[in-house]
Amino acid sequence: MSIVDATGSVSTTWTEQSTVDFLAGPLAAIANCVSEVESNLRRGTLSASTVPTSTEVQTWLIRAKQELCENKGYTWTRRYAYADTVAGTYRYGLPPDYNGGPLKLRDMTSDRNIVLWPESTFDLKYPDPSAENNDEPMVACTKNLELWLARPADGVYRLELTYARSGADNTTTDFTYLPEMERFRCCDFATYRAFMSLHQFEMANMFKAEWLLGLKKSEKVDGRRKMVALPRPVS
């Protein structure tokens, strides 16, 4: 028994809505983060010939960003992007940095939300969406990294998607959407990995503890942000 691999992929172009970056502090760019790790290591300037290399430190910083995004549905991981439907098409690729979890889909053209159904409910109602008449999409569901609409669009509708990003960005060195404290935590993680590469395990464990403590703190702070954002009863 075998399976034939797919010969193509569903590709959809999503455009991020305009954003406001966090204040650019001392760790405004990844180069500043590398300098922070150098300061922690006390081994001078890192390069392609040092241990660890500057490239390795950048890789650990990028991994730390992804570890943070994976850790919790932080408020700052929300991303807003839009794409246009194509007449007769019901399958669309989700953004490549979609991290799973809840989605919100809004039809910007008709100014209304599109209801997201569980996959089982969607399949029961629309076992073959391609057999449906083209119309304004009313419901949707996710299948792995795809967004399925019912019914297939009868024209161009601009859809806005709200989702949690994975940290695997088009520009891997982009740290602008992380609050400043989270950038410092990424430096703690990269410093921990750097000391591991040097076999200085005592120092590595110290910065690993700093990283883990930072995760707990960030969860508490983000929890307070979400509590403040909850709707309050009108008196």
Side-chain angles (χ1 to χ4, degrees):
M1 183 178 292
S2 64
I3 183 170
V4 178
D5 292 339
T7 56
S9 61
V10 177
S11 179
T12 303
T13 300
W14 293 88
T15 302
E16 184 177 22
Q17 296 279 31
S18 298
T19 61
V20 177
D21 293 338
F22 282 100
L23 184 66
L27 302 182
I30 195 169
N32 304 113
C33 295
V34 172
S35 296
E36 174 70 11
V37 174
E38 289 172 343
S39 179
N40 291 335
L41 289 176
R42 307 293 184 189
R43 293 174 63 87
T45 302
L46 300 177
S47 66
S49 58
T50 58
V51 179
T53 67
S54 55
T55 301
E56 286 174 328
V57 170
Q58 284 205 23
T59 300
W60 293 326
L61 287 165
I62 293 166
R63 175 179 166 181
K65 177 177 59 169
Q66 296 181 26
E67 294 267 5
L68 272 172
C69 292
E70 182 184 63
N71 181 54
K72 187 176 182 289
Y74 295 106
T75 50
W76 47 264
T77 62
R78 290 194 201 120
R79 198 172 198 185
Y80 303 86
Y82 63 85
D84 293 333
T85 62
V86 177
T89 300
Y90 67 90
R91 290 175 63 193
Y92 297 87
L94 287 167
D97 64 339
Y98 169 58
N99 201 27
L103 296 170
K104 183 180 177 182
L105 188 63
R106 185 168 70 94
D107 180 350
M108 299 172 66
T109 303
S110 302
D111 193 22
R112 63 175 183 79
N113 290 333
I114 294 178
V115 180
L116 285 159
W117 282 359
E119 182 181 342
S120 57
T121 305
F122 186 94
D123 288 344
L124 185 64
K125 179 68 176 177
Y126 301 103
D128 182 10
S130 64
E132 302 290 331
N133 294 328
N134 294 355
D135 202 346
E136 183 177 359
M138 301 297 290
V139 297
C141 82
T142 58
K143 295 192 176 188
N144 293 333
L145 288 177
E146 291 185 21
L147 179 71
W148 286 32
L149 301 178
R151 303 178 176 176
D154 61 353
V156 177
Y157 296 88
R158 177 152 292 184
L159 305 181
E160 182 190 62
L161 186 71
T162 306
Y163 65 98
R165 64 204 302 166
S166 67
D169 306 300
N170 288 338
T171 304
T172 58
T173 56
D174 179 21
F175 280 72
T176 57
Y177 63 89
L178 272 71
E180 183 79 2
M181 278 304 302
E182 305 303 339
R183 300 176 204 175
F184 276 108
R185 290 177 181 125
C186 288
C187 292
D188 288 339
F189 179 88
T191 305
Y192 143 60
R193 295 295 303 181
F195 275 121
M196 285 288 289
S197 72
L198 293 166
H199 294 181
Q200 296 185 25
F201 301 118
E202 184 176 351
M203 293 298 294
N205 287 334
M206 187 182 76
F207 276 95
K208 181 180 180 181
E210 283 288 312
W211 157 255
L212 294 175
L213 180 61
L215 288 182
K216 292 180 180 179
K217 287 181 179 179
S218 65
E219 288 178 6
K220 288 183 179 179
V221 171
D222 202 68
R224 287 198 293 269
R225 292 193 195 105
K226 290 178 179 177
M227 287 294 292
V228 171
L230 289 175
R232 295 291 190 270
V234 178
S235 57

